[in-house]
Amino acid sequence: MITELRPYPAYKPSGIEWLGEVPAHWDVRRLKTLCSRSALYGANVSADSYEPSGVRFIRTTDITEDGQLHGKGVFLPKCLVEEYVMSDGDLLVSRSGTVGRSFVYREERHGTCAYAGYLVRFVPESSTSSKYLYHFTKTFCFTDYLNSVAILSTIENVNGEKYANCPFPFPPPTEQIAIARFLDHTISRIERYIRAKETLIVQLKEQKQVIVQDAVTGRIDIRSGQPYPAYKSSGVEWLGEIPSHWDVRRAKRVFRPRNEYARPGDTQLSATQAYGVIAQAKYEEKIGRKVTRILRHLEKRRHVEVNDFVISMRSFQGGLERAWESGCIRSSYIVLRPITNVNVDYFSHLFKSCGYITALQITANFIRDGQDLNYNNFCGVDLPFPPRLEQQEIAEALGRRTENTRLSIRRTRREIELMREFRTRLIADVVTGKLDVRDAAAKLPEVEPYGTNVASSRELDADGAVPIGEASVPPTIAS
């Protein structure tokens, strides 16, 4: 039914450059005229003063980008409950973090709530649909407006008056409800599709991890797909038995720290779990946003060569990262270089295997005292060491065996990216009047409104709420 949507029969200039034309029977009004009142700040309370009051305290970090609540939250002190308590249908918009992060409060779903600082609260008039306003806050029109009035390019510096002055396209009340109903239904289906694809990626990664773990520890000869002829005890708990012709070596006998400061002209690198150690500019291009840059103690940055390994702040979660480019990296990271004849591809697989990561975690007390992994942690995990030629053959066989899995993960991620782009474009086209959804909304079945679930999409994935087979093709709107 989405493909059957058409523009409205007549349009008029909105008078707003970034909004363009709107349907001829729509108005354009400032947000403050659509709401009976608004409040710039919620309560700013220190953690020490929280007291049980039965009223949930909604903070910016409690609101997901898809308009849901997650986490347990905290309780507002009794002395502040009355001033900041919310009513059914109130709209919250964040002034910090992700632009456009907003939330419509539904009392029957969330219980009594209050809102925290850096949230702007709007109480829509009876002629205004809070869900319609909510969907508009998800558009590029709204975020572009906020960026245009931001001070120093930070949205947290946009004051409440500027929020309230944002122009909104304003359809008749019945049409607002139809638009919100159509988008609730459509986005709900898109979200189910995305969650199913995310679950598929998790399963593909787990499948790949099993193959890698068995190959790099010698449980299976990846070249033949069969166990090795004979095994012996490794004397290492996390390895168990290894093929009888393999060795076990101390990590410090295989890799040593590269204690060299950055060279003049070194490119700044980023250690990433997804892409390894690559140029920071290249990483920003891949993720589509800027990352924190090193501005102090530049002289203490560490030099990195291609095929070195880096112990980063996330190594306890995802293992060691391989360097694909030479350059320099922050001084808090440990750079490792091989000191013996090894196949780097084999150790790339080993250092990202689940067994090795678990063994690395056991060496550390960082979870308790906040310290980073260091070279001593690395030295605390002995390494399996097949013959040099076999290391190469294992790495090559793993590459062939996992190629289809890698391609499937890449293809699935691209599908998710395209569906998110489609969702964003659809919301913008509908709430700004580029597409007429009145007839489509009237034919829709009753569904759970989008954005009212307390659990996040990740929590739903963990509970297995959406079978993969239910979203094998992009969603369509069925009458």
Side-chain angles (χ1 to χ4, degrees), residues 94-340:
S94 172
R95 297 181 62 246
S96 63
T98 303
V99 180
R101 181 170 292 182
S102 51
F103 169 70
V104 175
Y105 174 67
R106 294 298 181 195
E107 187 168 0
E108 70 275 10
R109 294 284 301 183
H110 306 291
T112 304
C113 291
Y115 63 104
Y118 292 104
L119 285 168
V120 184
R121 175 189 174 200
F122 295 99
V123 182
E125 293 181 337
S126 58
S127 62
T128 306
S129 165
S130 57
K131 286 306 294 289
Y132 171 75
L133 295 182
Y134 163 80
H135 285 301
F136 188 86
T137 65
K138 300 300 181 182
T139 66
F140 288 122
C141 295
F142 184 68
T143 54
D144 286 348
Y145 166 80
L146 294 182
N147 282 317
S148 70
V149 298
I151 303 173
L152 301 177
S153 301
T154 59
I155 298 304
E156 56 263 35
N157 288 318
V158 178
N159 61 39
E161 184 63 24
K162 289 181 178 178
Y163 265 83
N165 279 325
C166 179
F168 269 68
F170 191 73
T174 55
E175 198 166 336
Q176 295 177 38
I177 295 172
I179 289 172
R181 186 165 185 263
F182 174 86
L183 289 176
D184 282 345
H185 180 94
T186 307
I187 296 173
S188 176
R189 292 177 65 84
I190 292 173
E191 287 299 315
R192 290 181 64 192
Y193 174 84
I194 290 174
R195 289 199 301 268
K197 291 298 183 180
E198 289 174 339
T199 301
L200 176 59
I201 288 176
V202 171
Q203 293 174 340
L204 288 170
K205 286 183 175 180
E206 291 174 348
Q207 181 185 61
K208 179 183 174 182
Q209 272 284 8
V210 170
I211 296 172
V212 171
Q213 176 70 17
D214 287 348
V216 297
T217 59
R219 294 173 187 169
I220 294 293
D221 186 343
I222 191 67
R223 299 166 296 181
S224 65
Q226 301 296 322
Y228 284 86
Y231 287 83
K232 65 182 180 183
S233 173
S234 67
V236 178
E237 184 175 357
W238 79 272
L239 282 177
E241 291 190 331
I242 58 173
S244 57
H245 63 289
W246 286 24
D247 292 330
V248 174
R249 295 194 181 180
R250 297 286 187 183
K252 64 182 179 181
R253 302 297 182 191
V254 186
F255 292 90
R256 290 275 179 86
R258 182 182 291 279
N259 294 319
E260 180 182 355
Y261 290 126
R263 300 173 182 176
D266 266 356
T267 300
Q268 179 63 48
L269 305 176
S270 290
T272 73
Q273 291 187 32
Y275 308 105
V277 182
I278 60 174
Q280 189 173 71
K282 188 176 296 184
Y283 177 59
E284 291 176 337
E285 181 181 349
K286 287 180 177 293
I287 63 175
R289 61 178 174 82
K290 298 292 184 181
V291 298
T292 303
R293 296 182 176 272
I294 301 174
L295 300 177
R296 297 185 302 172
H297 307 302
L298 300 181
E299 72 283 356
K300 295 183 179 180
R301 292 175 298 173
R302 298 183 183 277
H303 179 70
V304 180
E305 288 286 345
V306 175
N307 290 333
D308 285 348
F309 288 93
V310 171
I311 304 175
S312 73
M313 65 176 64
R314 295 295 181 185
S315 289
F316 74 94
Q317 292 178 328
L320 277 57
E321 307 302 338
R322 178 178 177 178
W324 299 99
E325 302 180 47
S326 62
C328 62
I329 203 158
R330 62 174 61 190
S331 59
S332 59
Y333 291 172
I334 308 299
V335 182
L336 302 174
R337 62 178 179 85
I339 59 174
T340 187

Side-chain angles (χ1 to χ4, degrees), residues 350-405:
L350 177 67
F351 291 152
K352 302 294 283 186
S353 66
C354 56
Y356 177 79
I357 294 171
T358 300
L360 198 61
Q361 291 172 346
I362 293 173
T363 69
N365 58 358
F366 58 89
I367 294 178
R368 184 178 69 252
D369 60 20
Q371 72 180 30
D372 293 330
L373 290 175
N374 54 41
Y375 184 60
N376 289 332
N377 299 121
F378 173 76
C379 293
V381 182
D382 292 339
L383 306 176
F385 200 87
R388 174 62 176 77
L389 178 60
E390 192 170 341
Q391 293 177 26
Q392 178 179 340
E393 292 174 346
I394 291 173
E396 292 173 350
L398 272 175
R400 293 189 299 269
R401 180 77 181 275
T402 60
E403 178 63 17
N404 288 338
T405 302

